């Protein structure tokens, strides 16, 4: 099929590449000329393991193209995916400016029946909103062209996005149109044959499934983080609590790892957005709202703990390991590390930070704090002469860190392990003043 994907970010680019791998002819459209130039030069604008090889192969075989030319990308597509950002507006609701622009562009350009697929995470009712915006443009053109708008939310995880798109847990398709449904089945033929579970539903249910899923995961993390705060006080071990809880099939062990709070481009904004949707419809989303405030509290607790245990951080040098919101991505959006770094700097600390991939983005996100932060080339440089190490993101390379050498390089001996990476290693406790999360 001839498919255009609008937006070449973490979702659109991976989606475009994988759809071409499924054998479709794909054009990836973006307004960011730099991104498109870089893609046309074979350079990925994001870090996503495993993506480059599949992208190169499909470009070489003529199934995948990148452009900023809207007419070229939209006029002949049978299917158009919208995969642009839906960032939070001032009040926390989803800002649909980019989605609306896509709808207008589609309305101004389509020539024949087109299936428009919303992959961006959007509030319930956005399908109607997109449909009306396209109709409006068609009316302006005096064009009578048939189209359908389908909801097909994305559940990929950054860092594991290629596998998640090749082997998704499920594919959700929301449409009331039989014709559009047939097209969607053709697009995902490969997954259908491979027995991937499909959920066919109406558009509004599909839109809500995405928010409900992310809100549930955010609640689950906040729940175990709250248990961790209590466990530290009563002398219990949250890792063991989570392990035992997870043995119950109704609970499952996934997403029960306590830490510095959730971050990233999805959970913080999607939880806020669903609370706002609730307000709009007069429904108090109190459980999700509690998760949001628990998450804010969790990040503050991390800062307070470091300050308390070190007897203040004024004039101290703190090594931060890991800035990206999780391992295997360069995405720093709403990462807990940002709040922790800001909090420590505001209390007088100097930061030496190292992240395998997130440094570039962190530099501009922490622009106002730049005089207090040195970005280092590796963990060795970051920890040299530091009073404390704070491991914020559990990149695999930090798991094998040589603890004796680390201690020798440091001035002090504080180790705050916010991901419990070394909590089962007895050496860490003899070498350092060691503080894991949710246990002694
Ligand atoms: P992103 O910010 O990485 O990428 C968005 C891209 O869209 C950018 O390259 C931008 O230049 C482009 N764009 C904006 N307006 C455009 C327009 N009018 N025409 C063409 N291109 C345009 O965003 P993302 O992380 O890929 O997220 C996209 C959507 O998918 C969001 O709604 C997000 O909530 C959702 N989502 C994200 C993830 C994730 O892990 N990142 C997972 C599931 C769902």
């Amino acid at each position: 099929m001839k498919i255009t994907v609008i937006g070449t970010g973490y979702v659109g680019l991976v989606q475009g590449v994988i759809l071409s791998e499924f054998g479709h002819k794909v054009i990836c459209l973006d307004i960011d000329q730099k991104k498109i130039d870089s893609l046309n030069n074979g350079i990925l604008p994001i870090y996503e393991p495993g993506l480059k090889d599949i992208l190169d192969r499909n470009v070489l075989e003529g199934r995948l193209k990148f452009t900023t030319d809207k007419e070229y990308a939209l006029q002949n597509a049978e299917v158009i995916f919208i995969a642009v950002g839906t960032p939070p507006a001032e009040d926390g609701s989803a800002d649909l400016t980019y989605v609306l622009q896509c709808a207008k562009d589609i309305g101004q350009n389509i020539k024949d029946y087109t299936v428009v697929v919303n992959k961006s995470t959007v509030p319930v009712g956005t399908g109607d909103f997109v449909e009306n915006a396209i109709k409006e443009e068609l009316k302006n053109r005096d064009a009578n062209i048939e189209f359908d708008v389908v909801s097909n939310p994305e559940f990929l995880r950054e860092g594991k996005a290629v596998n998640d798109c090749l082997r998704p847990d499920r594919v959700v398709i929301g449409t009331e149109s039989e014709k559009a449904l047939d097209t969607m089945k053709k697009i995902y033929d490969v997954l259908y044959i491979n027995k991937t579970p499909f959920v066919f539903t109406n558009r509004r249910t599909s839109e809500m499934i995405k928010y409900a899923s992310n809100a549930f995961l955010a609640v689950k993390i906040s729940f175990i983080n709250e248990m961790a705060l209590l466990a530290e006080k009563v002398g219990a071990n949250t890792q063991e609590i989570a392990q035992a809880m997870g043995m119950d099939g109704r609970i499952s062990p996934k997403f029960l790892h306590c830490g510095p709070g959730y971050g990233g481009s999805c959970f913080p904004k999607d939880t806020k957005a669903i609370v706002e949707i609730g307000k709009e419809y007069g429904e108090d989303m109190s459980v999700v709202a509690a998760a949001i405030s628990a998450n804010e509290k969790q990040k503050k607790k991390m800062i307070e703990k470091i300050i308390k245990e070190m007897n203040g951080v004024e004039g101290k040098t703190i090594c931060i390991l890991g800035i990206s919101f999780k391992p295997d991505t360069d995405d720093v959006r709403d990462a807990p590390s940002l709040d922790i770094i800001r909090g420590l700097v505001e209390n007088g600390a100097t930061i030496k930070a190292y992240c395998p991939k997130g440094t570039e983005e962190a530099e501009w996100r922490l622009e106002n704090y730049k005089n207090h932060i040195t970005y280092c080339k590796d963990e060795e440089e970051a920890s040299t002469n530091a009073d404390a190490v704070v491991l914020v993101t559990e990149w695999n390379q930090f798991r094998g860190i040589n603890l004796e050498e680390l201690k020798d390089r440091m001035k002090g001996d504080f180790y705050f392990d916010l991901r419990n990476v070394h909590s089962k290693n007895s050496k860490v406790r003899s070498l350092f003043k060691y503080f894991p999360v949710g246990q002694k």
Side-chain angles (χ1 to χ4, degrees):
M1 301 195 79
K2 284 194 265 176
I3 299 176
T4 287
V5 181
I6 314 183
T8 55
Y10 290 87
V11 167
L13 182 59
V14 179
Q15 183 67 17
V17 170
I18 298 301
L19 287 172
S20 68
E21 179 74 359
F22 288 168
H24 302 297
K25 288 226 166 216
V26 179
I27 299 176
C28 290
L29 170 70
D30 206 290
I31 44 171
D32 186 337
Q33 188 68 52
K34 252 172 69 186
K35 265 192 188 177
I36 295 299
D37 288 346
S38 140
L39 284 162
N40 280 325
N41 287 320
I43 301 161
L44 293 199
I46 56 167
Y47 175 72
E48 187 57 54
L51 189 61
K52 174 102 171 83
D53 287 351
I54 309 179
L55 183 147
D56 287 347
R57 186 172 58 243
N58 284 286
V59 169
L60 201 69
E61 291 170 9
R63 282 189 298 272
L64 184 59
K65 292 194 165 61
F66 306 100
T67 186
T68 54
D69 183 341
K70 288 178 186 172
E71 285 179 21
Y72 165 71
L74 300 174
Q75 286 188 347
N76 296 306
E78 293 165 85
V79 182
I80 300 172
F81 280 83
I82 300 177
V84 295
T86 46
E90 287 267 298
D91 62 357
S93 64
D95 178 352
L96 295 178
T97 311
Y98 304 113
V99 172
L100 177 64
Q101 187 55 51
C102 294
K104 287 183 176 171
D105 293 340
I106 292 168
Q108 285 162 14
N109 283 289
I110 55 171
K111 282 182 171 166
D112 279 314
Y113 174 72
T114 310
V115 177
V116 177
V117 187
N118 213 342
K119 246 208 183 297
S120 297
T121 303
V122 290
V124 180
T126 301
D128 304 346
F129 171 74
V130 167
E131 197 170 287
N132 289 335
I134 297 174
K135 274 188 191 150
E136 189 66 32
E137 292 301 327
L138 290 174
K139 204 167 118 200
N140 293 344
R141 280 167 62 193
D142 212 8
N144 187 14
I145 300 167
E146 218 193 314
F147 69 95
D148 280 305
V149 177
V150 175
S151 163
N152 172 218
E154 183 52 63
F155 298 95
L156 64 76
R157 296 161 299 172
E158 286 175 26
K160 297 190 170 92
V162 170
N163 185 60
D164 287 347
C165 285
L166 286 171
R167 284 170 278 276
D169 287 343
R170 78 303 209 183
V171 175
V172 176
I173 296 174
T175 180
E176 283 87 357
S177 153
E178 282 299 320
K179 197 170 170 184
L181 189 59
D182 281 350
T183 306
M184 295 307 290
K185 283 182 181 166
K186 271 190 216 147
I187 294 173
Y188 291 123
D189 215 18
V190 179
L191 297 178
Y192 210 60
I193 292 165
N194 287 345
K195 305 231 174 319
T196 299
F198 274 69
V199 178
F200 301 116
T201 181
N202 63 43
R203 205 160 62 188
R204 285 181 171 243
T205 307
S206 168
E207 289 169 339
M208 188 147 166
I209 286 170
K210 175 62 191 177
Y211 276 122
S213 304
N214 275 3
F216 183 78
L217 293 172
V219 168
K220 199 170 177 188
I221 298 174
S222 295
F223 177 86
I224 200 67
N225 280 343
E226 190 164 281
M227 292 302 123
L229 293 177
L230 184 61
E232 276 184 28
K233 295 212 165 129
V234 301
N237 183 315
T238 316
Q239 264 176 312
E240 289 168 17
I241 293 170
Q243 191 187 4
M245 281 174 68
M247 288 169 182
D248 185 326
R250 294 168 303 176
I251 297 175
S252 122
K254 290 188 180 158
F255 265 75
L256 274 185
H257 301 286
C258 57
Y262 60 76
S265 65
C266 292
F267 294 167
K269 85 170 171 63
D270 294 347
T271 45
K272 285 179 198 143
I274 197 167
V275 168
E276 287 307 310
I277 298 168
K279 277 187 199 159
E280 197 185 322
Y281 288 87
E283 212 48 69
D284 183 14
M285 307 300 283
S286 53
V287 174
V288 187
I292 297 171
S293 52
N295 199 55
E296 287 310 308
K297 181 170 98 178
Q298 189 71 7
K299 290 184 277 186
K300 284 201 189 94
K301 287 273 180 183
M302 299 298 116
I303 301 165
E304 282 166 16
K305 177 153 93 174
I306 296 166
I307 293 173
K308 178 172 164 265
E309 298 299 345
M310 293 183 75
N311 209 5
V313 293
E314 178 80 48
K316 310 253 171 81
T317 301
I318 297 182
C319 161
I320 298 282
L321 294 183
I323 308 175
S324 56
F325 85 95
K326 63 157 132 172
D328 292 322
T329 181
D330 55 353
D331 198 344
V332 173
R333 289 179 281 188
D334 267 325
S337 63
L338 300 179
D339 285 331
I340 291 169
I341 290 173
R342 288 187 197 110
L344 294 174
V345 169
E346 280 158 14
N347 280 280
T350 296
I351 303 294
K352 288 176 85 184
Y354 167 64
C355 185
K357 296 287 172 194
T359 306
E360 212 178 302
E361 194 185 324
E363 282 187 66
W364 67 263
R365 288 190 186 274
L366 290 167
E367 170 72 18
N368 294 344
Y369 292 77
K370 67 176 177 197
N371 295 337
H372 307 276
I373 308 170
T374 306
Y375 296 96
C376 301
K377 66 174 187 316
D378 54 25
E379 48 273 73
E380 283 180 24
E381 189 188 335
S383 53
T384 301
N385 290 328
D387 293 291
V389 163
V390 181
L391 192 156
V392 188
T393 312
E394 70 281 29
W395 284 80
N396 263 338
Q397 68 192 71
F398 301 148
R399 293 181 192 278
I401 211 160
N402 184 317
L403 295 168
E404 274 108 355
E405 286 176 15
L406 175 72
K407 170 81 185 304
D408 287 347
R409 281 193 299 272
M410 289 171 61
K411 193 162 66 187
D413 58 357
F414 286 93
Y415 196 132
F416 298 90
D417 181 357
L418 307 190
R419 300 288 180 172
N420 293 332
V421 163
H422 305 294
S423 60
K424 295 205 169 85
N425 180 344
S426 56
K427 209 192 279 172
V428 78
R429 293 172 203 270
S430 61
L431 285 167
F432 293 92
K433 294 189 184 91
Y434 178 71
F435 301 93
V437 177
Q439 60 189 289
K440 286 283 169 226

